[in-house]
Amino acid sequence: QVQLVESGGGSVQTGGSLRLSCVTYGDAFKRYCMAWFRQVPGKEREGVAVISVFGSPTYADSVKGRFTISKDNAKPTLYLEMNSLQPEDTAMYYCAADVGRGVGCLLPERYFTYWGQGTQVTVSS
């Protein structure tokens, strides 16, 4: 069983920054690919970034160069540093765990089994 709890969302202006955190409960943090997704009402959930057990990241094209995914195995906590935020980044952000793999991580939603409750990010122009 993996429990994920996000925090760090909020409201910022265009160009601002936020750092999201996802505390992981359970002993699986060091074994699974971990990812951040986001969802706007009425749209499908979008994979933002994923990180392997060895810390290798993969990003969606829409956030490359602006967002950074990282993790601290000792805490254990997953992070998403978001810079140069734009109104189109407004969404509910979720962290997720893929219990099927720890390397060769993939972003499609169907690979992820455990999800947090989400944290809202709002970017105003």
Side-chain angles (χ1 to χ4, degrees):
Q1 186 76 16
V2 176
Q3 185 177 0
L4 309 172
V5 180
E6 304 98 332
S7 62
S11 297
V12 297
Q13 293 188 328
T14 298
S17 299
L18 283 172
R19 187 176 82 156
L20 306 183
S21 299
C22 174
V23 177
T24 302
Y25 298 93
D27 61 357
F29 188 74
K30 296 181 182 181
R31 306 206 311 257
Y32 301 149
C33 292
M34 301 290 297
W36 288 98
F37 287 78
R38 64 187 181 186
Q39 188 171 27
V40 175
K43 293 188 177 181
E44 292 186 357
R45 196 145 42 185
E46 173 193 16
V48 174
V50 62
I51 191 166
S52 76
V53 296
F54 298 115
S56 177
T58 301
Y59 297 96
D61 288 343
S62 57
V63 305
K64 280 180 182 177
R66 301 189 298 123
F67 290 11
T68 302
I69 188 171
S70 62
K71 64 193 184 105
D72 185 337
N73 287 342
K75 291 195 174 181
T77 302
L78 180 73
Y79 301 101
L80 186 68
E81 184 76 34
M82 305 185 294
N83 298 313
S84 301
L85 283 162
Q86 303 297 314
E88 53 266 34
D89 296 315
T90 295
M92 185 71 79
Y93 283 72
Y94 300 88
C95 66
D98 175 359
V99 302
R101 75 199 78 231
V103 295
C105 303
L106 302 169
L107 266 178
E109 179 183 356
R110 65 181 182 273
Y111 294 109
F112 290 83
T113 305
Y114 293 102
W115 296 84
Q117 83 290 347
T119 186
Q120 177 68 37
V121 172
T122 302
V123 185
S124 58
S125 58

